[in-house]
Amino acid sequence: MNDDEQIVRSALAAPARLPEDVMDRLGDERVTVLLSAATALALRRRFQTHPGRTRILEFTEALQARFPDAAPLIKPIVIEALVGFAFGESELADGASPDDLRTALLVLPYAVISEEDLEGEDLDRFVTEVLQSVYASEQ
């Protein structure tokens, strides 16, 4: 398993528990690219079409209920920005700070994919799709 795959699999296995040695080797920029791709793909799987503000707020409230310790860090404006990004919107919402976005990227891949209970070949396919999207964007 290469470092990219290890980051993606770790992000899907538990929120905010990435291997520090791998993160150090890859650097913040690469880790952010991998987490962004995993988040976008997870959100597109979850919603399939752009959900609109009401469904995003309902989703955010459900995340806050599932992760009460992290609830203050799960901000609707940030979730809305990431959902928009997942569906091709290039503008981030005003008020979504880089720190808030990074926090959401550490939580969302796990939060969304854990609802689907992906395992085995299905999980492998998801990881492969994330990595392929990253590698394709680099060409």
Side-chain angles (χ1 to χ4, degrees):
M1 175 180 333
N2 70 22
D3 286 349
D4 289 351
E5 182 178 352
Q6 193 170 351
I7 289 295
V8 172
R9 286 187 181 278
S10 295
L12 299 173
R17 295 215 175 119
L18 303 179
E20 290 185 32
D21 60 325
V22 177
M23 289 176 58
D24 290 343
R25 278 195 305 272
L26 291 177
D28 285 343
E29 185 176 330
R30 182 66 175 180
V31 171
T32 299
V33 166
L34 293 165
L35 294 177
S36 296
T39 299
L41 184 57
L43 289 169
R44 286 193 306 269
R45 284 176 63 103
R46 168 80 164 64
F47 291 110
Q48 298 178 11
T49 62
H50 196 296
R53 193 161 206 282
T54 300
R55 284 186 58 209
I56 293 170
L57 292 175
E58 291 168 352
F59 173 65
T60 303
E61 290 170 2
L63 287 176
Q64 291 168 333
R66 279 183 60 206
F67 303 99
D69 293 340
L73 303 173
I74 302 171
K75 299 178 179 178
I77 190 81
V78 175
I79 305 302
E80 190 171 0
L82 290 172
V83 169
F85 179 76
F87 287 95
E89 295 173 14
S90 60
E91 303 267 334
L92 287 179
D94 290 335
S97 76
D99 287 341
D100 291 341
L101 289 168
R102 177 112 170 129
T103 298
L105 291 175
L106 289 169
V107 173
L108 279 178
Y110 170 79
V112 176
I113 292 302
S114 66
E115 290 178 337
E116 293 187 38
D117 200 28
L118 287 183
E119 295 178 348
E121 290 181 10
D122 291 333
L123 179 61
D124 291 343
R125 273 192 293 278
F126 181 84
V127 170
T128 298
E129 194 173 344
V130 169
L131 295 174
Q132 286 175 343
S133 74
V134 169
Y135 300 150
S137 72
E138 295 172 339
Q139 294 179 356

